[in-house]
Amino acid sequence: MDKNNKIVVGISIGDVNGIGIEVILKTFEDKRMLDFCTPVLFASNKTIAYHKKVLKVNHSIHGITSADKIAHGKINLVNVWQEEVKLALGQNTETGGTYALKSLMAAVEAVKQEQVDLLLTAPINKENIQSSEFDFPGHTEYLESNFEGKSLMILMTDVLRIGLITGHIPISKVAESITPELIREKVAIMHTALVQDFNISKPKIAILSLNPHCGDKGVIGKEDDEIIKPTISSIQETGKLVFGPYAADGFFGSKTYEQFDGVLAMYHDQGLAPFKAISFGKGVNFTAGLHKIRTSPDHGTGFDIAGKNKANPESFKEALFTALEIHKNRTEYQNLKKNALPSKLQKK
């Protein structure tokens, strides 16, 4: 493999008091991982050194001043800050959020400047990261404000991909947020992602109902009959293979999801609760719809086990491999589109 052709992965470290740095270090404990990509961490030597000491690991880290000075075959680290940071592993502190944001902002800027090819994010705490520069419910919304495109959160494994019609909003606002326009937008994003990012030429997409039992013909709510069903019918007329709505309990209980390439849930817990019950510790969060690729593990900061050398890196590894595969598929798709033969209609 030509080292200079390796995909360069920008990595934000997440909350400095959580398990983010631990799963990153454990992921690259196997030096063979450097055969697949060139990692670039956005943090500081001092902060990483502290975690290495606690975890009793001896990784060789290549410190650099900017992401355009990377060395292939090494774990690169851009020193985003120089000051000594007072760490309190396992605790939810303002400091944890401050430096998580510094890391994330630097990584995002490197993606924008095309110094790295894609973004892999370790978990943040959505409370302590809030500031004038980060007034968002989570990573997804922040990234949508920085990159081109409309986002769709997809939680995925090899056999299950669940996207969310509505994301990080209160349950009290879900029903009023479900509109034909929003459903069409999210279906379009998922369809495009399945085609260009997962190499599925004719994807089948299932849409879940909003109400229990699809509303039971209006007895438990009218949204499924008046909004969701007609919208699905109108999308089907465009040629997309979209089906539903399906009552979520039976859909997951009967493993009907195995018949589809993608599933769209109406709200956060409707999709993520069954997903994590089925796949916890092995799932990947992919932000579809943006012009830049971003993945993350399916877990949080893990404050309860931070600093105890108990964090499982499998989800982070899966997030890395998923990002690399999406980059490969998207690059091939874009090259095919760019070099497509003209149709007969375009010929004079």
Side-chain angles (χ1 to χ4, degrees), residues 101-254:
L101 182 56
K102 285 180 183 287
S103 174
L104 178 61
M105 291 175 67
V108 166
E109 186 59 29
V111 175
K112 287 181 177 180
Q113 297 299 323
E114 298 185 347
Q115 296 173 329
V116 300
D117 295 312
L118 55 87
L119 178 63
L120 178 55
T121 61
I124 58 172
N125 179 279
K126 294 179 178 65
E127 176 196 358
N128 66 31
I129 199 172
Q130 297 298 318
S131 67
S132 59
E133 295 172 304
F134 192 101
D135 185 17
F136 300 94
H139 269 122
T140 303
E141 295 81 5
Y142 175 78
L143 295 173
E144 184 178 68
S145 74
N146 277 275
F147 299 145
E148 291 182 56
K150 288 283 190 178
S151 67
L152 172 67
M153 180 192 296
I154 296 179
L155 270 288
M156 55 171 290
T157 64
D158 290 341
V159 297
L160 177 60
R161 301 180 190 92
I162 299 182
L164 304 179
I165 300 286
T166 62
H168 296 113
I169 64 173
I171 196 72
S172 61
K173 296 188 180 300
V174 169
E176 66 187 56
S177 300
I178 303 297
T179 63
E181 293 75 22
L182 182 62
I183 296 171
R184 290 192 193 98
E185 175 186 291
K186 299 301 184 182
V187 167
I189 296 171
M190 173 163 270
H191 186 273
T192 298
L194 291 171
V195 172
Q196 75 168 8
D197 297 330
F198 298 100
N199 198 25
I200 302 170
S201 58
K202 292 183 178 180
K204 290 177 61 180
I205 299 172
I207 297 181
L208 302 182
S209 64
L210 174 64
N211 298 298
H213 311 298
C214 300
D216 267 345
K217 297 183 178 181
V219 176
I220 318 177
K222 298 180 180 180
E223 292 89 353
D224 293 287
D225 286 331
E226 295 182 356
I227 298 174
I228 299 172
K229 288 180 181 179
T231 303
I232 291 174
S233 294
S234 70
I235 295 172
Q236 288 173 336
E237 291 174 2
T238 69
K240 290 186 174 70
L241 302 178
V242 179
F243 304 91
Y246 295 94
D249 55 352
F251 183 83
F252 289 107
S254 63

Side-chain angles (χ1 to χ4, degrees), residues 316-333:
F316 193 86
K317 284 182 181 178
E318 286 297 324
L320 173 60
F321 285 125
T322 298
L324 297 177
E325 186 66 19
I326 290 172
H327 182 275
K328 172 179 167 289
N329 289 339
R330 188 178 292 191
T331 300
E332 290 178 355
Y333 178 82

